[in-house]
Amino acid sequence: ILDIKIHRGAPGVNGPVIELLGNGRKGSVAIANTNLDNLMEGNLYMAVYTKNNPRGQIRGQIQQATD
């Protein structure tokens, strides 16, 4: 893993980086107030970048946990 980043973007839409996580981090991430609506609407995603795929190995939308 080269890098992990949180981006703003709807499913299937690329967007700008809003948080750099480096190559792995434990704990929590504080999302700025300006991105809370995007978080609640499912418009944030995490992307993992690797040596073999420096443009993005895998991407996943961030969603609220459900019971």
Side-chain angles (χ1 to χ4, degrees):
I1 294 176
L2 296 175
D3 208 356
I4 302 170
K5 300 174 184 176
I6 296 177
H7 297 256
R8 182 176 56 245
V13 177
N14 292 332
V17 174
I18 65 162
E19 186 71 36
L20 300 172
L21 302 179
N23 62 0
R25 179 165 108 181
K26 294 181 181 179
S28 59
V29 174
I31 300 295
N33 287 340
T34 55
N35 285 305
L36 287 179
D37 286 341
N38 287 305
L39 176 64
M40 302 305 280
E41 294 169 5
N43 291 326
L44 296 182
Y45 65 93
M46 183 178 294
V48 177
Y49 302 85
T50 65
K51 183 178 175 182
N52 289 338
N53 291 289
R55 293 180 53 122
Q57 176 77 30
I58 191 167
R59 167 189 170 144
Q61 291 301 124
I62 300 172
Q63 300 177 343
Q64 277 187 290
T66 58
D67 294 334

